[in-house]
Structures are given as structure tokens and as C-alpha cells.
Amino acid sequence: MTAAQLTVLLADLALIVVLARLFGRLARSCGQPPVIGEIVAGVLLGPSLFNGAISNTVFPADVRPSLSALANVGLAVFMFVVGLELPRNLLRGRGSLAVTVSFSSIALPFGLGTVLALHLLTTHPAENRLGFVLFLGAAMAVTAFPVLARLLADLRLTGTPLGGLALTCAAVDDVAAWSLLAVVAAVSDAGGPDQWRLLFLLPYLAVMRWIVTPMLRRLTGDLTVPGLAGLLMSAAATEWMGLHFIFGAFLFGVVMPGEGTAALLDRLGQLSSILLLPVFFVVAGLQVNLTSIGWSGFGELGLILLVAIGGKFAGGYLAARAGGVPPRSSAALGLLLNTRGLTELVILSVGMSLGVLDQSLYSSMVVMALVTTAMAGPLLRLLLRGDAAGLADVQRAKVP
């Protein structure tokens, strides 16, 4: 890297950090999660405005590989933190209702997403049709566990039975979505010269379960160094196998012990939220060109929103009602499970890197992620009628 490139890179990083903070605060002031503002900032810095004049000037082509490398590190750290914060024993004590709602809120949007994919193949031909269909189904089935947890806290629903059910379903949905995405990654690389490396998947899982996990449990004190080194090595292993590095980072977070990780979470969380994730938002935004959607694309966008919102809402609502949850609380659950946030953006970025999505469809899907995340809070407040009585009805709801 030349001195001129390094100068531009450092200036770009400073700009990204400042804009992410400003747009995050603006989103918060509008009653939205900060991640909405940060994603919007990334999109605005992309090629959607002025035919890409801003993005080409601020982020020249010779600097973008360095930004992409930092974005990938940020993505690995984020996935590790998601795995680390994933509740253990997800369904314990939740009963059959949690199983039913979780399955329904995954199966219905996934099924509708695969049907939509078959329609979209007529205008977005894919080299690997099976990978495309499975990917779109997985993208429709996801719920963003971290954003949902913050939304529940804002609405004072975290400690309620409904809040616990929503968190359980979101966590199960995320695990299912990552598993489906791993299948998509394997299918998309089928027939490649290095496909034989997938044979190492089962030995890798066995090592993580029977060797790495016991070793980590025996460690005491600060786990920052073993945690950071482990997540990077695990991410490198799955990337080498052709499964994408996010799965290795996520899995290492899952096998990490819950005790003694406070310092690790604090350090990685600060670095990730302030610098690395905003870089990821910008790199993702550089691939979003809203002008590429076109007038015909608005019809596709409408179908995408209909399937994404309707599938998640109906899946959660109908299963909850069948389990005896009151109508208002069932509707609140359906809205909560529509929160997709950063998790959806991660999945879409993987889709782009695998060549499953083209730019126009990727742009439409990013809009869907923004809409479904932004609508959750306002619609919930509307459902609760903006008064204490409506909120109390949901807080007191008995979840079998």
C-alpha cells in the first residue's frame, strides 16, 4: 500500500466512524435502532446518489480491498459475539409452544421465499438454481436476535413471558437461518475444484465439540486472547473448507464458555460497534444501487416485502393463536419476529459473495431489511395504541 492509499484509507475510516455515529443518533432520535441509521449511511455513501460520483471519489477502487478486509474482520467479530450471546438451552422451560411458533415462523416464510425465488428466476437467472431458491428462503426466514433484544428492552417486554417467547423464537430462527445458509454455501460451491475440502467438516465439528470446548472450559482469567485467536482460526478453517468464514466465527462463539467473557465482550464490542461494523455497512452499501432496481423492480420489491412481512407475521401469529396466546400478544409476536436488522444484511452480503444475488436483487433485499426492521417499533406502538393499557395487556399476557 502506497502512502497516498494509506492516507485515503485513514481519512475514509475517520469519515465512516463519524457518519455512523451521527446517523445512528439520528435514527435513535426517531425511535429507531441505531443500526438503521448506520445502514442508511452506508447506502447513501454508495453508488445510488449522483451516479456513483460520491462513492468513486471518497472510496477509490485501490482503497476498497483494504476496506473490504476490515469489513470481513468486523463481520467475523460480530458473528462471534452473536454466537457467544446466544442463549444456551434455548427451548428449556418454554414448552411445546416455543417449538411450534419457532417452526412455524421459519417454515412459512421459508416456503413462501422458495416459491418467490422460482418466480424471480425468470428475471434474475442464476447459475445455481437450487442455491438461489434455498438462499431466498433462508433470507426470508431470519430474525435479528440482537436488534429484537434491544427493541424488547425499549418496550419493557424483556422480562415478560411474551418477550421470552420472542427471544427464544428469534434465537432458533437465527440458528436455522445460519444452518440453511451453510447448506447454500456448500451447494453454490458444488463441483468446484476444492469441493473435497468439505470432507473436513465433520472432523472440524468433532474437534470443536470434544477438544476445543473442554479446553476452553478449563481456562481461567481473561479469555480475550484465546477468544480472539480462536474465532479467527475457526473462521479461517470454515473459509478454507468453502463454507464462508462467518460460520466458523459463529460456532466458536457458541462453544465459548459463558463465564469469564465479560472483558472479551466489552473489548470486542467496542471495537466492532465503533469501527469495524460501520466499515462493513459502507462496504455493503457500495454494492447497493437503488437506481438499478428500475420501475419494473418495484413490483419485485413489493412481492419481496409481501412475502417477507406476511410470511413472518402469519407464521408467528397463527402458531401463537393456536397455542392459546391472546390476539393482541400474538400480533405483537408476529411483528417482533419481522425484525431482521444487521443479521439480514450479513446474509445478503454472503449471497453477493457467493454470486447468488445480482446487484438489483441485492438492492431490493437490502430495502426489505431496512423496512422490516424500521416498521417493527412504530407498528408495535400503534398496536399498543400508545397508551399504558395497551402495553399492560401484552405484558400481562399468559404464554402457555
Side-chain angles (χ1 to χ4, degrees):
M1 175 175 283
T2 66
Q5 291 172 333
L6 181 59
T7 300
V8 174
L9 175 63
L10 294 175
D12 283 347
L13 292 177
L15 176 65
I16 291 170
V17 168
V18 171
L19 286 180
R21 179 57 58 91
L22 289 177
F23 276 78
R25 288 184 174 179
L26 179 61
R28 174 65 74 179
S29 68
C30 297
Q32 293 291 339
V35 67
I36 289 291
E38 293 168 354
I39 295 175
V40 169
V43 172
L44 292 179
L45 289 172
S48 298
L49 297 179
F50 308 110
N51 294 321
I54 295 177
S55 60
N56 293 333
T57 301
V58 179
F59 305 107
D62 56 355
V63 172
R64 294 189 183 189
S66 299
L67 289 174
S68 296
L70 285 173
N72 286 334
V73 173
L75 194 51
V77 171
F78 170 76
M79 291 302 300
F80 169 76
V81 172
V82 169
L84 189 59
E85 293 182 332
L86 193 71
R88 271 59 172 176
N89 302 318
L90 296 176
L91 299 177
R92 179 174 296 177
R94 298 293 181 194
S96 60
L97 179 63
V99 177
T100 304
V101 176
S102 298
F103 176 79
S104 179
S105 63
I106 296 168
L108 185 56
F110 177 82
L112 292 175
T114 58
V115 173
L116 176 62
L118 294 174
H119 168 71
L120 292 177
L121 277 171
T122 60
T123 52
H124 301 273
E127 183 176 344
N128 191 310
R129 295 171 62 90
L130 177 60
F132 178 82
V133 170
L134 292 176
F135 175 84
L136 209 63
M140 296 298 177
V142 73
T143 296
F145 180 86
V147 178
L148 176 60
R150 294 187 182 94
L151 181 58
L152 288 171
D154 291 343
L155 293 170
R156 295 175 290 164
L157 292 172
T158 301
T160 65
L162 179 67
L165 177 61
L167 285 174
T168 301
C169 293
V172 174
D173 287 8
D174 274 5
V175 172
W178 300 131
S179 301
L180 288 169
L181 195 58
V183 173
V184 172
V187 169
S188 298
D189 193 42
D194 296 326
Q195 187 71 7
W196 60 270
R197 295 179 180 177
L198 278 175
L199 296 174
F200 286 90
L201 177 60
L202 289 179
Y204 160 78
L205 294 175
V207 168
M208 295 293 285
R209 173 63 181 89
W210 302 110
I211 298 178
V212 174
T213 300
M215 287 178 57
L216 289 171
R217 288 175 179 170
R218 284 194 288 267
L219 293 177
T220 59
D222 189 354
L223 297 180
T224 300
V225 173
L228 183 58
L231 86 89
L232 294 174
M233 286 300 299
S234 183
T238 53
E239 180 70 21
W240 180 81
M241 284 184 277
L243 280 180
H244 206 278
F245 65 86
I246 65 169
F247 303 109
F250 174 74
L251 184 59
F252 196 79
V254 171
V255 303
M256 280 285 290
E259 300 78 15
T261 57
L264 172 62
L265 274 174
D266 181 63
R267 291 167 182 168
L268 290 183
Q270 290 286 336
L271 177 64
S272 177
S273 62
I274 294 175
L275 176 62
L276 297 179
L277 278 182
V279 173
F280 168 70
F281 293 139
V282 167
V283 171
L286 290 175
Q287 302 178 79
V288 176
N289 188 352
L290 299 180
T291 62
S292 68
I293 297 177
W295 288 108
S296 61
F298 280 103
E300 293 181 350
L301 177 58
L303 285 175
I304 290 171
L305 288 171
L306 179 63
V307 169
I309 298 171
K312 267 295 181 183
F313 181 84
Y317 177 84
L318 294 175
R321 288 292 296 129
V325 179
R328 188 197 295 268
S329 298
S330 298
L333 180 63
L335 290 174
L336 286 167
L337 294 179
N338 259 294
T339 306
R340 288 179 170 86
L342 175 56
T343 306
E344 182 73 29
L345 199 62
V346 172
I347 287 182
L348 297 180
S349 297
V350 174
M352 279 291 285
S353 68
L354 294 174
V356 177
L357 298 178
D358 58 30
Q359 187 182 55
S360 63
L361 191 54
Y362 171 80
S363 300
S364 296
M365 295 290 286
V366 169
V367 173
M368 180 271 288
L370 285 169
V371 171
T372 54
T373 305
M375 75 178 194
L379 288 181
L380 275 168
R381 294 181 179 92
L382 181 63
L383 175 69
L384 304 177
R385 300 176 301 187
D387 56 27
L391 178 60
D393 287 346
V394 174
Q395 289 175 329
R396 290 195 302 265
K398 293 182 178 180
V399 176

